[in-house]
Amino acid sequence: MQYMKPQTAAEVSDILARSDGAARILAGGTDLLVHLRSGAIQPETIIDIKHINGIKDITDEDGGLRIGAAVPGQQLGEHAGARALWPGVVEAFELIGSTQVQGRCTMAGNLCNGGPAADSVPAMIAAGAVARIEGPEAPRDCNLEDFVTGPGKTVLGKGEFVSSIFLPARPGAASDAYLRFIPRTEMDIAVASAAVNIELNSDGTIKSARVALGAVGPRAVLVPDAADAITGSKLEDPAIDALVRACEAAASPIDDKRGTIEFRTTVAGVLAKRAARIAMTRAQKRAGENT
Ligand SMILES: Cc1cc2nc3c(=O)[nH]c(=O)nc-3n(C[C@H](O)[C@H](O)[C@H](O)COP(=O)(O)OP(=O)(O)OC[C@H]3O[C@@H](n4cnc5c(N)ncnc54)[C@H](O)[C@@H]3O)c2cc1C
């Protein structure tokens, strides 16, 4: 097996394109090394992207944040701007693994691994995040909800990789939240998860919302009906009930030893309800701070 550490995105793309599927990107390696050790994958070439200029940076852009594809969880968690702007995304990413894993794992890796239960993905979908894809052609952007196409599958074509993820700007009276259910208190994969991102009008009603679910289908999904259910409300009971029903309807989970279809469906609705209330409280606090 060959280990390569290219210095530019063009080199990465070139190696990927020439390898015809036999090369794998290495970011933090917290999924890749597990797959290598188990024998699930046997790549001929490992491409370490951490030596590309700027790929470990978090930069301000148009009021939002561009997160390089090699930024580990710990670095994002310590970024005051990210915590203030997108607390739901940061809390989702911080749930991944342990302190040791946090020192390595990346959001782009969590995304590109394509796992249905990936914690940061529903939060990024709710945030309206966008992946920057580089490859043989000009760089292109992909909305996060369109990126994963099925378990382990993504929209990445030949020679393409993710160079960064963009978290957009947001107004003062807005916030987000992420919750997951796991049978243990730590170090487990979500049985169901939900992320909610809301923006408030000046009268305290919800101006717009994005709701996403994870681990209750082959990939994390955006649930527009759930967002519609709470838009215009102050999260009164009828709106919350409609949000829960929309989330239950959007869930299509598997039945396994970690949770039955019925359990996962119910929990998805409960988590969305609780995440919406947390996002609302955070948005109200931000609205207060900005008046
Ligand atoms: C002990 C432990 C606990 C964990 N707990 C959780 C958890 O609670 N929640 C959770 O969601 N995950 C968890 N994980 C999984 C893993 O840590 C995350 O998915 C992590 O975010 C992967 O990021 P990485 O940088 O390590 O990816 P890597 O392992 O480097 O890569 C993952 C996959 O994506 C590809 N890839 C990586 N970066 C790119 C890129 N920029 N462009 C194209 N392809 C790319 C790689 O080739 C590989 O196939 C855990 C893992 C371990 C070992």
Side-chain angles (χ1 to χ4, degrees):
M1 192 194 305
Q2 218 184 355
Y3 167 81
M4 301 183 83
K5 44 178 191 178
Q7 314 285 312
T8 66
E11 280 177 74
V12 174
S13 168
D14 189 48
I15 300 165
L16 281 171
R18 279 190 287 114
S19 78
D20 222 5
R24 285 295 185 117
I25 301 272
L26 170 72
T30 59
D31 276 317
L32 188 76
L33 265 70
V34 175
H35 297 321
L36 275 176
R37 289 271 169 93
S38 71
I41 55 167
Q42 291 166 327
E44 285 170 11
T45 308
I46 299 289
I47 311 169
D48 188 342
I49 56 170
K50 290 189 285 297
H51 302 272
I52 298 171
N53 196 21
I55 204 151
K56 291 183 189 161
D57 294 345
I58 302 174
T59 40
D60 296 338
E61 185 179 311
D62 298 333
L65 292 171
R66 184 162 293 283
I67 319 288
V71 169
Q74 186 187 358
Q75 188 182 343
L76 188 74
E78 288 172 357
H79 193 280
R83 297 193 82 88
L85 206 59
W86 292 105
V89 174
V90 175
E91 74 192 346
F93 197 26
E94 285 191 318
L95 282 172
I96 294 175
S98 55
T99 304
Q100 292 91 332
V101 172
Q102 281 288 309
R104 305 294 297 181
C105 68
T106 64
M107 286 205 302
N110 199 219
L111 175 69
C112 294
N113 193 53
D119 279 306
S120 69
V121 177
M124 289 194 284
I125 291 175
V130 176
R132 171 69 48 86
I133 298 171
E134 306 224 22
E137 310 296 332
R140 64 186 176 105
D141 287 338
C142 178
N143 293 335
L144 260 279
E145 59 268 33
D146 301 324
F147 188 89
V148 176
T149 54
K153 295 198 172 74
T154 72
V155 295
L156 290 176
K158 194 172 178 178
E160 289 188 324
F161 75 106
V162 172
S163 59
S164 64
I165 291 172
F166 181 64
L167 295 175
R170 65 192 333 190
S175 200
D176 63 330
Y178 173 80
L179 290 173
R180 72 173 181 183
F181 173 80
I182 56 172
R184 307 192 303 180
T185 51
E186 285 291 343
M187 301 280 283
D188 206 344
I189 309 167
V191 170
S193 65
V196 179
N197 170 27
I198 56 177
E199 179 187 348
L200 300 180
N201 289 307
S202 54
D203 66 358
T205 57
I206 294 175
K207 183 177 178 186
S208 65
R210 285 173 68 91
V211 179
L213 299 178
V216 288
R219 62 194 187 105
V221 287
L222 189 65
V223 189
D225 287 348
D228 291 346
I230 56 172
T231 300
S233 79
K234 290 186 179 178
L235 287 189
E236 298 89 347
D237 287 347
I240 283 285
D241 290 346
L243 166 99
V244 171
R245 280 196 302 276
C247 288
E248 289 175 349
S252 56
I254 55 167
D255 208 347
D256 70 7
K257 63 182 177 187
R258 302 177 69 251
T260 61
I261 290 173
E262 190 184 19
F263 178 74
R264 286 175 198 252
T265 304
T266 303
V267 171
V270 171
L271 293 174
K273 171 169 66 175
R274 292 180 184 171
R277 288 188 170 137
I278 295 168
M280 183 74 163
T281 303
R282 288 176 178 167
Q284 287 166 338
K285 187 162 179 280
R286 284 196 83 210
E289 287 165 359
N290 286 290
T291 50

